[in-house]
Amino acid sequence: MPMSVDAVRERLVRENEEYRRLFEKHQSFEERLQSLNARLFLSDEEKVEAITLKKHKLALKDRMAQIAKEFAQDDRAGH
């Protein structure tokens, strides 16, 4: 039976250094973005920062998804 997405993520955070690093960075970007979004007004620099954070988060998420896909393929192959 295939592992759930949450189970895969938890296992990768525990066992895969790159995934763990990406996950932690993604969380820190999310926290900063939430901090910016909580403000009523953003300066031009903060608006640019928010856009940049979103782009970086998406790139991290894409790489994490690729790692998870490779993990699932290896797991099915019995490696």
Side-chain angles (χ1 to χ4, degrees):
M1 178 176 195
M3 294 174 71
S4 72
V5 173
D6 289 338
V8 169
R9 182 179 330 140
E10 289 173 17
R11 185 166 171 193
L12 285 169
V13 166
R14 279 193 323 269
E15 298 176 9
N16 185 296
E17 185 177 332
E18 179 185 7
Y19 189 92
R20 179 176 42 256
R21 182 180 52 78
L22 296 171
F23 182 80
E24 290 169 355
K25 187 171 260 192
H26 186 274
Q27 284 186 312
S28 72
F29 288 167
E30 177 62 24
E31 289 169 8
R32 176 63 180 148
L33 193 54
Q34 286 179 2
S35 171
L36 290 171
N37 288 335
R39 296 180 181 202
L40 293 177
F41 301 101
L42 295 177
S43 68
D44 288 341
E45 293 82 17
E46 290 168 331
K47 289 176 186 176
V48 170
E49 181 183 3
I51 291 168
T52 302
L53 286 169
K54 289 176 185 178
K55 289 178 182 180
H56 286 306
K57 277 183 53 187
L58 183 57
L60 291 170
K61 187 175 180 180
D62 288 346
R63 178 60 186 137
M64 289 164 53
Q66 182 63 35
I67 293 170
K69 181 180 175 184
E70 292 167 3
F71 171 81
Q73 289 172 345
D74 287 349
D75 196 48
R76 280 195 297 270
H79 295 220

